[in-house]
Amino acid sequence: MRKIFYYLIFAVAITSCAPNRFKKSEKIYDTKLKTLKKTISNKDSQPLPEIPHVSMNIDTLYTKQLHTYKDTIFKMGSTPLENGINTEWVGTVNFNLRKPNLIVIHHTAQDSLLQTIKTFTTIETQVSSHYVISDDGKVVQMLNDYLRAWHAGNGSWGKNTDINSNSIGIELDNNGLEVFSELQINSLLALLTKLKKEYNIPTQNIIGHADIAPTRKKDPSALFPWKILAEKGFGVWPDEFLETAPIDFNAEQGLRIIGYDTKNLTAAIMAFKLHFIQNEVNGLLDEKTINTIYSIYKKQ
């Protein structure tokens, strides 16, 4: 019995002294992770065409929050599971940051750029966005594109029910009753040019807050120039001459294929019209609406 005990002690000692066979891959993992940390920690201003730089120094809480996530992604220890098994850590060398696949455009429904920034830098509000664009065209970035902002809330687009996790939120300084300024839209177009190219975002995936949350939201308002954006390659727009939809075309199914949640069909129709038939924002499913849905449906 004593001999077995000594054998066990010897085996444990040998195991503990054995070289880590994953040392090389773990080193690569650590190096890549440090590179990605630099990426998500970067707060340098990004050049956009004809947009004046905005310099603001209100990032103390941002930095504190970033350190919280840094500690999480660098954690590599063993984790106990409920069945008594402990996880074992072996870092892969094949990974990168997740990229956004949607852009959601909002209007702030507030009175100024500074009011919006105050809202997004106050913990109690629990809301944020990646970018805010003021009426005079200034652009403020408030979160790295790879990180998850809290701008969308409950909503869906197609089968995606967690919009915040794969989208970029852009807030336009507008109370919802004003015409969007030329300077503001030009800055938005410049920003969309950069984001679409960097993350290869599909044209159809540049949408509004009302599109993903038709029962809750009405932004951006009916004054927002979706047609201009579509002409520049950011979103789609109905054909100038609408084709009559086939007799067997199901408009509700068409809305779902485009991306709308149709559990509340009237709300979905109104959200669709807020985007595509802005002079007739109501819940009526008339012939023009059906033909417009068909036109957008064909572009998916």
Side-chain angles (χ1 to χ4, degrees):
M1 189 69 181
R2 183 179 294 177
K3 190 177 290 186
I4 295 174
F5 174 75
Y6 285 132
Y7 278 133
L8 287 173
I9 292 295
F10 180 74
V12 170
I14 290 296
T15 303
S16 62
C17 295
N20 180 1
R21 59 185 174 133
F22 299 113
K23 187 175 181 179
K24 183 178 180 181
S25 65
E26 290 288 354
K27 185 176 181 180
I28 296 174
Y29 177 92
D30 289 340
T31 301
K32 291 194 71 174
L33 202 57
K34 288 176 183 176
T35 301
L36 296 182
K37 176 196 169 186
K38 291 179 182 178
T39 299
I40 64 174
S41 300
N42 180 33
K43 292 181 285 185
D44 294 337
S45 61
Q46 297 296 313
L48 296 175
E50 301 179 5
I51 298 177
H53 173 64
V54 178
S55 178
M56 310 193 75
N57 186 24
I58 50 172
D59 65 348
T60 304
L61 291 174
Y62 172 90
T63 304
K64 184 177 179 181
Q65 183 83 331
L66 195 63
H67 281 310
T68 301
Y69 288 107
K70 178 203 72 173
D71 293 340
T72 301
I73 65 174
F74 272 85
K75 183 179 178 182
M76 296 183 290
S78 176
T79 303
L81 303 179
E82 291 184 359
N83 63 353
I85 299 295
N86 285 350
T87 63
E88 177 186 357
W89 180 272
V90 178
T92 179
V93 299
N94 304 310
F95 65 97
N96 57 10
L97 293 172
R98 296 180 178 180
K99 291 187 177 182
N101 192 47
L102 279 168
I103 294 176
V104 181
I105 298 172
H106 311 249
H107 69 240
T108 61
Q110 297 191 323
D111 296 326
S112 69
L113 174 67
L114 289 179
Q115 185 183 4
T116 300
I117 290 174
K118 181 178 180 181
T119 299
F120 290 168
T121 54
T122 303
I123 291 177
E124 289 74 18
T125 63
Q126 296 288 285
V127 293
S128 59
S129 190
H130 293 88
Y131 297 90
V132 185
I133 304 179
S134 70
D135 188 62
D136 63 4
K138 293 179 181 177
V139 180
V140 177
Q141 182 171 7
M142 304 198 68
L143 190 67
N144 186 280
D145 297 338
Y146 288 102
L147 298 178
R148 186 180 188 272
W150 303 345
H151 64 96
N154 293 326
S156 64
W157 190 244
K159 294 182 179 180
N160 182 359
T161 57
D162 185 5
I163 303 297
N164 283 338
S165 289
N166 70 341
S167 66
I168 290 177
I170 301 176
E171 291 274 357
L172 303 178
D173 177 26
N174 186 293
N175 62 15
L177 302 174
E178 303 170 339
V179 174
F180 294 84
S181 75
E182 183 176 311
L183 289 173
Q184 189 175 49
I185 296 304
N186 281 329
S187 290
L188 174 62
L189 291 171
L191 180 58
L192 290 174
T193 299
K194 174 180 182 292
L195 296 176
K196 184 181 180 185
K197 180 179 180 180
E198 284 188 2
Y199 303 116
N200 196 27
I201 293 176
T203 298
Q204 299 92 329
N205 283 5
I206 298 172
I207 52 179
H209 200 183
D211 294 316
I212 63 168
T215 61
R216 298 189 303 110
K217 296 296 179 178
K218 304 295 181 187
D219 62 303
S221 73
L223 299 172
F224 184 73
W226 284 112
K227 182 180 180 181
I228 292 176
L229 263 67
E231 289 172 348
K232 301 296 183 181
F234 308 116
V236 295
W237 193 252
D239 296 328
E240 183 177 357
F241 301 102
L242 291 175
E243 179 183 349
T244 301
I247 296 176
D248 59 350
F249 176 68
N250 185 317
E252 180 180 356
Q253 186 179 49
L255 284 172
R256 286 202 305 271
I257 291 172
I258 293 168
Y260 290 92
D261 179 356
T262 61
K263 291 187 182 70
N264 184 326
L265 182 57
T266 298
I269 293 170
M270 290 184 68
F272 177 85
K273 288 188 172 184
L274 185 66
H275 191 135
F276 297 107
I277 314 177
Q278 296 177 309
N279 60 341
E280 299 176 20
V281 182
N282 55 53
L284 297 178
L285 190 60
D286 54 17
E287 183 179 2
K288 179 180 178 181
T289 305
I290 292 172
N291 292 341
T292 306
I293 293 172
Y294 182 63
S295 179
I296 299 301
Y297 158 81
K298 290 189 299 178
K299 299 176 189 291
Q300 302 308 302

